[in-house]
Amino acid sequence: SQQGEEDPQALSIQEGENATMNCSYKTSINNLQWYRQNSGRGLVHLILIRSNEREKHSGRLRVTLDTSKKSSSLLITASRAADTASYFCATDYRIKAAGNKLTFGGGTRVLVKP
Amino acid sequence: DAGITQSPRHKVTETGTPVTLRCHQTENHRYMYWYRQDPGHGLRLIHYSYGVKDTDKGEVSDGYSVSRSKTEDFLLTLESATSSQTSVYFCAISVGGYRTEAFFGQGTRLTVV
């Protein structure tokens, strides 16, 4: 089963509103990452938060990480129509001798209405 | 697009035939990954590589094999394609270590009829 699971599966908001999505995972991690995917395209990396960090900001993005609850949240503030996309969390964990394994959740589809 | 090329971009094949997808990078990154993306399942890891000739299985490796004989190429082979392997396949690369942000290719849409 997948390491990360996002919630909600879909989100519809008006332009200017904030969008929040959550990610839960199962095992200990090195870091957690968020990616965006526009329809029919490859994923684009947004932000990475290490396991010893609790919050990180990048532009209009704010990510939190709670390792005790094995969960993370992504907040997009003042959303724009161009933020319409699917958002995925990805967990990175190290496997002895086999390097880093990067696994993704099912994603949250965000629709920002103008 | 971070120097990643997937080929072919689209393919239709018949059930039972072998299929090989290629991922080529010009970044000299250590890690390479193959994922499949299906509605309702997000991205699922098939196989990944942490160096030349070093590979490991992911969540959905049955029916797939991989090879990496040089840093820049990571091949995914469907030994005998089935309709359940109809999907969009993405290759990704990363530096590894603590800087594991991944860069993705544009995807290969495979249809098995």
Side-chain angles (χ1 to χ4, degrees):
Chain A
S1 61
Q2 289 174 267
Q3 166 76 323
E5 293 296 335
E6 286 92 340
D7 171 61
Q9 291 187 329
L11 184 59
S12 180
I13 56 175
Q14 292 294 135
E15 204 165 27
E17 294 180 340
N18 296 342
T20 300
M21 58 210 85
N22 304 295
C23 171
S24 60
Y25 58 92
K26 297 174 183 173
T27 65
S28 296
I29 59 173
N30 289 327
N31 62 63
L32 186 141
Q33 305 171 39
W34 287 90
Y35 290 78
R36 183 185 72 222
Q37 183 182 37
N38 291 98
S39 181
R41 304 291 297 259
L43 278 71
V44 174
H45 181 261
L46 294 175
I47 193 166
L48 179 153
I49 185 166
R50 298 193 206 286
S51 59
N52 60 354
E53 297 176 314
R54 292 297 167 257
E55 187 170 311
K56 200 159 185 181
H57 297 256
S58 176
R60 294 184 296 111
L61 305 179
R62 173 179 169 252
V63 170
T64 62
L65 179 65
D66 186 335
T67 53
S68 67
K69 295 181 179 178
K70 292 186 169 59
S71 67
S72 173
S73 67
L74 172 67
L75 168 68
I76 305 173
T77 60
S79 63
R80 306 166 181 169
D83 294 328
T84 294
S86 291
Y87 293 82
F88 295 86
C89 71
T91 51
D92 168 78
Y93 56 107
R94 187 160 187 84
I95 300 174
K96 195 181 294 186
N100 296 79
K101 199 168 185 178
L102 189 64
T103 60
F104 287 77
T108 295
R109 295 188 309 279
V110 175
L111 172 64
V112 182
K113 293 179 281 188
Chain B
D1 289 321
I4 309 170
T5 305
Q6 289 185 232
S7 58
R9 293 291 314 280
H10 301 271
K11 186 170 181 67
V12 179
T13 192
E14 292 187 350
T15 299
T17 60
V19 177
T20 295
L21 308 183
R22 181 185 184 227
C23 179
H24 178 78
Q25 63 151 327
T26 58
E27 306 296 321
N28 203 36
H29 284 354
R30 179 182 174 193
Y31 288 83
M32 298 186 77
Y33 304 84
W34 276 109
Y35 296 90
R36 60 178 288 176
Q37 185 173 31
D38 305 287
H41 290 280
L43 272 82
R44 292 181 291 176
L45 181 64
I46 305 171
H47 283 280
Y48 69 107
S49 170
Y50 50 99
V52 174
K53 297 186 179 177
D54 291 321
T55 64
D56 200 8
K57 295 179 180 180
E59 308 161 79
V60 290
S61 59
D62 288 348
Y64 301 95
S65 62
V66 289
S67 67
R68 191 169 179 199
S69 59
K70 44 187 179 177
T71 300
E72 56 266 37
D73 288 324
F74 192 32
L75 304 180
L76 176 71
T77 298
L78 288 65
E79 292 138 10
S80 178
T82 68
S83 59
S84 65
Q85 293 176 311
T86 292
S87 187
V88 180
Y89 291 85
F90 285 100
C91 173
I93 62 174
S94 74
V95 173
Y98 286 104
R99 290 197 57 197
T100 52
E101 58 260 48
F103 301 94
F104 279 77
Q106 290 301 300
T108 295
R109 183 171 295 277
L110 176 68
T111 303
V112 183
V113 298

